[in-house]
Amino acid sequence: MKQAIVIDRLRLKFPGSDGLLFRDLSLSIAEGEKVLLLGPSGCGKSTLLQVMAGIIPHSIDAPMKAERLERPERWGYVFQDPDAQFCMPYADEEIAFALENRSVPRREMPARIRALLDQVGLEIAPHTDIHTLSGGMKQRLALASVLALEPDVLFLDEPTALLDEEGTKAVWQTVKQVGRGKTVIIVEHKIDHVLDFVDRIVLFGRDGRIIADGEAKAVFSDYKDVIAAEGIWYPGVWDDYDRTARRRNRHQGEELLRLSHFRGFRGREAKIYVPKATVHAGEWIAVTGKNGAGKSTLLQALMQLIRTDGEYMLLGADIKRQHPLYRHIAFVFQNPEWQFVAHSVREELAYSLRLEGRPEAEIEETIACLLREFDLVEQQDQHPYQLSIGQKRRLSVAASIVAGQRLFLLDEPTFGQDAKNTFALLEMLEAHREQGAVIMMVTHDEQIVRRFATRQWVIEDGALVRDEQLEIREPVLTEGGAGQ
Amino acid sequence: MKWEVRCRETWLHETNPSLKLIVLVVLFFAVLFIHNPNVLINVSLALFVLFCFGTGYPANVLFWLFLPFFLVFVSTASSMMMFGEGTTTWVRWGLIHVTAESFWRGVHIGFRALALGLLGLIFSLTTRPVPLFYSLMQQLKLKPKYAYSFLAAVRLLPMMLEEFQTVRYALTVRGVPNKGVLSKVKRYAIPLLSQSIRRAQRIAVAMEAKQFSGSGQRTFYYEIGFGKYDIWLVALFAALMFVAYYMGVHYPYISIRDVR
Amino acid sequence: MEAKTKGLKLADILTTIVIAIVFGIIYKLWGPLYSAVGAVGFHLDQLIYGMWFIASSLAYLLIRKPGVALLAETAASAGELITGSQWGLEVLIYGVVQGLFAELVFAVFRYRRFDVFVVSLSAVGATIGSLIMDFYKGYIGSLAPWNLALFLLARFIGAILISGVFAVSLAKALEKTGVTQMWRTASKDDYDALNR
């Protein structure tokens, strides 16, 4: 069979880093193959994808050499971040950009744009503002503009990492349709929807070497332990998690929070309304609802970031008398980077404690403890922005809860995280809950709600419309699975 | 987040953006070389009328847009009035020395600032970024590399404004004390800039991945050409300047002909 | 290695423009502040005039390539214009002239120095650019001598402090976040390591 890509003895290194990312890596991919590249974060899968496409060294400079390197003529590349791959404000203009690059005559453009939108299942007017699209729709638009290049090879670099379940499904469904007859090479951490599409899996180790390369189903079943250990979302990952999870203590403590006719405002408009609610220590509340329903607004109102009225009692006192609030409430943003204020991991953790004027010895002790608990000991002197996405998330949580707060407000904290980090984070929150904290967490993930939440708040059109206690769903216990 | 005010499209929106830019730049230099306050006052008034009735924005929006211009007018004029050199003294009070010459010179540069400001505002209110940069590529041969970079950056603007809000919340949540202008600029600038820079780098890679070469042959989704409104534009501004000049010389408001 | 393209790459241009537009917004917000301080009199406003030169210093410090300072200052003023600056079209022309003078200073040092001294000098350059424009537009030459001296002194000092010293500290902080890595070219050691 004819080869679409041939790499022979590739060596590559990033400037300033120690050692090579790839040492004599060889890989070839036949025309029409659907290949999944799997491996731990930092193993170089995305880099390899960029080398295959020629983005390295054409657009990104990195010292590299190879005995032989055959790359496809016509290719398209979909990136991870839906907001960082468009250069035009409207959908039609974005697709037209790709057509212009290929010097397609102007009079042919409108028809082609319509056809491409149909092909990826986007039923929108061509002249639609890209800002108004959901993440899943943006990624399908990205796919449409890539298809405008009439590629033989499609490179997909974690296209659904930042999407919710619905968006993820829609994107993979589209890829399956448009990928027919093309070579498709995928890097992905969430493989539930990909597994039945790919013929071949290439599994990488931490050192950038290929551990396994073969027929998809065979590699998946033979190397399931490795795949699980690397934090990849595979089908049945939650069932496996349940087997190791421990029994939970569902005891509830004293009243922590009381709301009555509570409203939060943006400008003059009330954007969130809670008729009545009391929350006790030891509760885990999952805040769910559609995009734009007002879930994040609720958290912002509780943190008093926006103007509120009505009754709001925290720890038995009116909220106005509990300032500064960061002593009682920990708030974790969706993007961890926003809340970093220091230049190193250590300083980040120390920040709130210094603000409180705690003695230096105590601060040192607390930091040492947190670094261990959150697995950040090796990174303690790095700049927070330089951490991996999982490390950033852990740091943002660690730095937020350092002052011993009782109420945790979290806005989709597991978003874009791999399985390993997600489980670690949830376990950690669970431990704090058992010690009497309240976890209030916006999430789209039904699996998390079922396993961790004791209570669910459904937000619809800016109001709390349903408040229900959830049945305790004990993990399935098998032999030796109860301890931790 | 809504940051663009909807407006009625006027004939000025329909003119060729490159031509409009050139006409306004020519006017800009013309205004710089007007030293007769009578002429300048006429020009400013004419531009003010065009600003009010030619841009298609509702009156309340126009009012708020105009307010800072008035401030500039006052601050520019006052400092020259009080401290400028001159021979015919009107008031002397400590360091403040108002002379007839400096007073009219102050009025003159106040109106000049006003006229220049209005020129820019008329341009930005009636020009959308996408047609502007397509026109710059087609008529003024701006390299696509620069044009599309601008457009990509403009697209990031609303995202940055949202992020600005988030950073503000985050600083509150972390209890960051709120003091010092420059340290505040830094607290905001670092997360905003580092995020934007990384996004810009990624967008550049994505654009090149779509076979964007930055120069060389390409077609255009929008052809920006010329129409009857372009003739109107040139004719209107030529007439405006001529009438302002004629009236200023022959029917002056004040006797000073040159403020230098 | 493939042949290096001449001049600025797309990523350089796009990043410069994005930085510039961020500062374009800051410039826009700086305008009313400047006018408010100006109302106090005695040219106190000139002390904060230097903020309008910072885009060129910062873009140059981060990207370190020829042409970036000029592009940044031009783009920032274009951004300020598009968002409706109170000075209108004038900002665009000021921007080009200021950027040109800042660029000139970096060129004199052959784009090899990135320290406070050179950056402050470029701020002085940009200030001279702005003064040339002011000379034509605002008749500053006809201010009383003591007043003119005060005016000039305040503007130069402000420029050095904001677009020199402050810009360098901002660039250092950004450097630590790792966003500039792509512009720090690989050393010969990196290439040698491939053959080891």
Side-chain angles (χ1 to χ4, degrees):
Chain A
M1 205 192 256
K2 209 163 165 265
Q3 300 296 316
I5 293 164
V6 178
I7 295 174
D8 188 18
R9 275 163 286 175
L10 169 73
R11 289 183 171 202
L12 186 142
K13 167 176 203 306
F14 276 118
S17 66
D18 317 318
L20 300 179
L21 184 57
F22 300 122
R23 181 176 285 279
D24 298 331
L25 180 111
S26 300
L27 182 70
S28 45
I29 289 165
E31 275 182 5
E33 253 188 318
K34 316 278 186 273
V35 186
L36 173 66
L37 308 183
L38 267 187
S41 57
C43 76
K45 306 167 307 249
S46 295
T47 311
L48 185 62
L49 209 60
Q50 291 174 338
V51 171
M52 287 180 185
I55 289 177
I56 298 175
H58 177 74
S59 300
I60 299 172
D61 223 359
M64 61 167 273
K65 66 167 207 173
E67 290 302 312
R68 202 166 135 225
L69 194 54
E70 280 175 29
R71 291 186 292 231
E73 286 277 294
R74 306 179 75 107
W75 51 273
Y77 201 111
V78 177
F79 297 83
Q80 180 181 5
D81 186 351
D83 284 318
Q85 49 189 320
F86 303 123
C87 62
M88 302 294 288
Y90 290 93
D92 59 336
E93 292 168 353
E94 184 59 39
I95 297 176
F97 173 72
L99 296 172
E100 289 174 351
N101 293 341
R102 296 187 47 231
S103 290
V104 170
R106 179 170 166 249
R107 58 179 188 283
E108 290 177 23
M109 286 186 189
R112 286 222 203 175
I113 290 169
R114 185 67 263 175
L116 285 162
L117 287 173
D118 292 341
Q119 209 183 340
V120 297
L122 277 179
E123 290 160 0
I124 52 170
H127 199 63
T128 298
D129 189 343
I130 297 178
H131 278 300
T132 63
L133 303 180
S134 71
M137 291 166 92
K138 282 182 190 162
Q139 289 301 69
R140 278 184 285 158
L141 174 63
L143 202 56
S145 62
V146 153
L147 290 173
L149 305 169
E150 295 175 29
D152 300 325
V153 181
L154 275 181
F155 296 101
L156 308 174
D157 191 356
E158 297 197 53
T160 62
L162 300 177
L163 303 185
D164 57 14
E165 185 60 22
E166 200 186 316
T168 305
K169 256 188 215 154
V171 166
W172 287 119
Q173 213 169 6
T174 310
V175 169
K176 281 168 198 173
Q177 276 164 23
V178 302
R180 277 193 211 113
K182 296 188 197 303
T183 311
V184 184
I185 305 169
I186 303 166
V187 169
E188 186 56 84
H189 264 116
K190 295 193 285 187
I191 63 171
D192 313 37
H193 302 284
V194 193
L195 219 49
D196 60 339
F197 172 61
V198 294
D199 331 301
R200 175 178 166 194
I201 292 179
V202 182
L203 183 64
F204 290 82
R206 255 173 213 293
D207 54 358
R209 281 173 204 277
I210 296 174
I211 301 177
D213 181 357
E215 197 266 321
K217 302 264 169 346
V219 172
F220 178 67
S221 55
D222 293 352
Y223 290 88
K224 201 172 161 192
D225 310 349
V226 182
I227 291 171
E230 298 305 354
I232 287 155
W233 290 109
Y234 56 90
V237 63
W238 279 105
D239 299 331
D240 290 349
Y241 171 74
D242 287 345
R243 276 192 271 281
T244 62
R246 73 202 165 87
R247 191 177 289 272
R248 303 196 165 94
N249 167 11
R250 287 280 156 117
H251 172 73
Q252 288 194 359
E254 80 280 14
E255 180 184 302
L256 213 85
L257 187 77
R258 175 192 287 272
L259 300 172
S260 172
H261 298 292
F262 178 69
R263 292 190 298 174
F265 295 84
R266 273 192 206 290
R268 274 179 227 148
E269 241 177 298
K271 287 286 184 188
I272 186 74
Y273 174 64
V274 180
K276 211 166 189 63
T278 47
V279 179
H280 295 87
E283 288 197 82
W284 180 312
I285 301 174
V287 181
T288 62
K290 288 205 181 69
N291 280 328
K295 304 184 294 289
S296 301
T297 313
L298 172 65
L299 298 195
Q300 288 166 4
L302 290 173
M303 191 68 207
Q304 301 282 290
L305 293 172
I306 55 177
R307 190 169 64 83
T308 61
D309 68 5
E311 189 188 1
Y312 178 7
M313 305 277 280
L314 181 69
L315 294 160
D318 190 88
I319 193 68
K320 303 262 179 322
R321 289 192 293 165
Q322 294 288 22
H323 281 278
L325 273 187
Y326 57 83
R327 287 192 187 166
H328 306 293
I329 310 180
F331 193 105
V332 180
F333 286 84
Q334 202 183 75
N335 180 346
E337 285 192 4
W338 296 132
Q339 63 192 76
F340 294 146
V341 290
H343 297 304
S344 76
V345 171
R346 282 189 76 83
E347 286 308 304
E348 189 64 39
L349 292 172
Y351 188 83
S352 303
L353 302 171
R354 295 244 157 85
L355 214 59
E356 298 240 303
R358 304 246 182 114
E360 203 55 30
E362 186 198 324
I363 294 178
E364 285 299 315
E365 201 179 312
T366 315
I367 293 176
C369 188
L370 281 168
L371 286 172
R372 259 178 283 124
E373 189 189 345
F374 286 84
D375 192 17
L376 290 166
V377 178
E378 278 175 43
Q379 287 76 28
Q380 57 178 302
D381 295 317
Q382 281 186 28
H383 194 284
Y385 282 67
Q386 306 255 35
L387 301 176
S388 76
I389 181 166
Q391 290 164 345
K392 273 181 197 159
R393 170 56 72 201
R394 294 206 295 274
L395 176 62
S396 73
V397 175
S400 307
I401 67 170
V402 64
Q405 294 94 329
R406 294 291 300 279
L407 176 59
F408 292 18
L409 304 175
L410 305 106
D411 199 346
E412 298 198 63
T414 58
F415 192 69
Q417 300 286 313
D418 67 16
K420 207 162 75 176
N421 277 312
T422 301
F423 297 148
L425 184 71
L426 291 169
E427 290 286 340
M428 202 277 308
L429 292 173
E430 181 65 14
H432 281 267
R433 186 195 63 75
E434 282 181 327
Q435 285 160 24
V438 165
I439 313 287
M440 199 180 288
M441 179 169 142
V442 172
T443 182
H444 281 112
D445 195 332
E446 196 48 42
Q447 304 281 7
I448 295 175
V449 178
R450 267 169 51 199
R451 283 175 178 80
F452 290 91
T454 63
R455 187 172 174 183
Q456 184 173 17
W457 283 7
V458 181
I459 311 290
E460 238 176 69
D461 294 328
L464 174 63
V465 293
R466 216 167 73 220
D467 177 357
E468 55 181 343
Q469 299 290 330
L470 296 180
E471 280 301 305
I472 298 166
R473 185 186 175 283
E474 285 301 332
V476 185
L477 293 179
T478 52
E479 268 175 72
Q484 203 191 26
Chain B
M1 193 175 269
K2 277 197 191 115
W3 61 290
E4 200 175 319
V5 183
R6 296 267 156 234
C7 79
R8 188 168 51 83
E9 300 250 314
T10 65
W11 67 275
L12 275 172
H13 287 88
E14 308 273 311
T15 52
N16 184 294
S18 296
L19 180 74
K20 189 160 49 183
L21 185 63
I22 291 172
V23 167
L24 293 180
V25 169
V26 168
L27 242 64
F28 173 85
F29 283 104
V31 168
L32 274 192
F33 288 100
I34 295 175
H35 302 293
N36 183 337
N38 297 298
V39 176
L40 192 59
I41 290 170
N42 287 340
V43 172
S44 306
L45 287 177
L47 289 175
F48 185 72
V49 170
L50 191 62
F51 166 72
C52 289
F53 300 104
T55 53
Y57 282 78
N60 59 337
V61 176
L62 290 178
F63 174 78
W64 287 109
L65 285 170
F66 188 71
L67 202 63
F69 286 76
F70 188 71
L71 269 177
V72 170
F73 175 81
V74 172
S75 74
T76 317
S78 63
S79 130
M80 178 56 76
M81 283 177 186
M82 292 187 287
F83 306 113
E85 282 184 323
T87 47
T88 324
T89 300
W90 284 359
V91 180
R92 186 187 280 281
W93 189 69
L95 286 170
I96 297 171
H97 182 204
V98 182
T99 62
E101 290 87 344
S102 69
F103 179 82
W104 289 114
R105 203 181 294 126
V107 169
H108 189 77
I109 61 171
F111 270 105
R112 175 176 288 167
L114 194 64
L116 298 181
L118 285 170
L119 282 175
L121 207 51
I122 289 170
F123 180 77
S124 52
L125 289 180
T126 61
T127 313
R128 302 244 173 275
V130 173
L132 170 64
F133 284 101
Y134 269 80
S135 167
L136 289 176
M137 281 190 284
Q138 289 168 28
Q139 271 87 48
L140 299 183
K141 303 291 164 228
L142 178 68
K143 275 198 187 152
K145 228 175 6 178
Y146 292 92
Y148 287 97
S149 292
F150 261 103
L151 288 173
V154 170
R155 206 189 90 77
L156 291 180
L157 260 180
M159 271 184 242
M160 288 183 210
L161 293 180
E162 265 170 56
E163 286 166 1
F164 178 79
Q165 176 79 317
T166 314
V167 173
R168 210 166 62 93
Y169 286 159
L171 295 180
T172 317
V173 165
R174 294 298 304 277
V176 176
N178 196 3
K179 49 186 172 203
V181 178
L182 285 187
S183 74
K184 211 166 142 188
V185 169
K186 214 167 157 180
R187 283 243 180 263
Y188 282 97
I190 288 167
L192 287 174
L193 277 175
S194 66
Q195 191 81 7
S196 305
I197 289 171
R198 254 176 304 163
R199 207 173 265 152
Q201 292 167 347
R202 287 194 206 122
I203 291 176
V205 169
M207 285 165 73
E208 287 184 335
K210 285 179 196 161
Q211 297 178 15
F212 178 64
S213 61
S215 48
Q217 208 55 45
R218 67 185 291 112
T219 50
F220 291 107
Y221 184 47
Y222 298 121
E223 294 280 358
I224 311 284
F226 295 91
K228 64 172 180 196
Y229 291 123
D230 295 304
I231 302 171
W232 285 28
L233 179 80
V234 176
L236 178 84
F237 278 104
L240 186 152
M241 287 306 279
F242 178 77
V243 173
Y245 190 79
Y246 185 86
M247 299 289 285
V249 171
H250 293 276
Y251 305 96
Y253 309 107
I254 52 172
S255 58
I256 293 175
R257 296 292 166 91
D258 190 331
V259 293
R260 277 174 299 182
Chain C
M1 282 295 301
E2 287 177 19
K4 285 231 169 79
T5 41
K6 245 177 56 186
L8 295 174
K9 293 190 358 180
L10 180 66
D12 306 333
I13 296 171
L14 185 52
T15 318
T16 304
I17 293 177
V18 166
I19 294 170
I21 291 208
V22 171
F23 281 99
I25 297 173
I26 295 180
Y27 289 4
K28 171 78 187 78
L29 299 174
W30 210 249
L33 179 68
Y34 175 78
S35 300
V37 175
V40 177
F42 296 104
H43 301 311
L44 270 181
D45 50 353
Q46 296 308 315
L47 273 175
I48 66 166
Y49 196 98
M51 183 58 98
W52 274 290
F53 313 138
I54 199 172
S56 56
S57 312
L58 193 72
Y60 171 75
L61 283 169
L62 296 179
I63 299 167
R64 302 187 175 178
K65 289 187 181 175
V68 162
L70 173 60
L71 177 62
E73 197 60 23
T74 309
S77 53
E80 194 185 353
L81 172 68
I82 289 172
T83 48
S85 162
Q86 53 191 330
W87 285 281
L89 207 55
E90 150 188 359
V91 294
L92 190 62
I93 291 151
Y94 268 69
V96 174
V97 175
Q98 285 161 188
L100 212 56
F101 275 79
E103 185 75 40
L104 218 62
V105 173
F106 295 131
V108 165
F109 290 91
R110 313 186 73 183
Y111 302 101
R112 283 193 193 143
R113 285 185 56 181
F114 316 100
D115 48 276
V116 182
F117 174 73
V118 173
V119 177
S120 299
L121 215 55
S122 90
V124 170
T127 310
I128 294 171
S130 72
L131 287 170
I132 292 176
M133 293 300 294
D134 278 353
F135 197 78
Y136 275 98
K137 195 204 83 179
Y139 304 119
I140 52 168
S142 58
L143 283 170
W146 67 269
N147 202 275
L148 180 64
L150 191 67
F151 176 93
L152 293 178
L153 194 69
R155 188 178 288 188
F156 276 113
I157 288 177
I160 289 170
L161 288 180
I162 298 176
S163 290
V165 180
F166 180 65
V168 169
S169 91
L170 199 57
K172 277 198 179 131
L174 277 167
E175 195 90 26
K176 284 193 201 128
T177 68
V179 293
T180 53
Q181 261 155 16
M182 72 164 287
W183 294 295
R184 304 297 169 258
T185 39
S187 63
K188 196 168 167 303
D189 286 352
D190 288 322
Y191 284 96
D192 290 346
L194 293 176
N195 298 318
R196 242 173 265 144

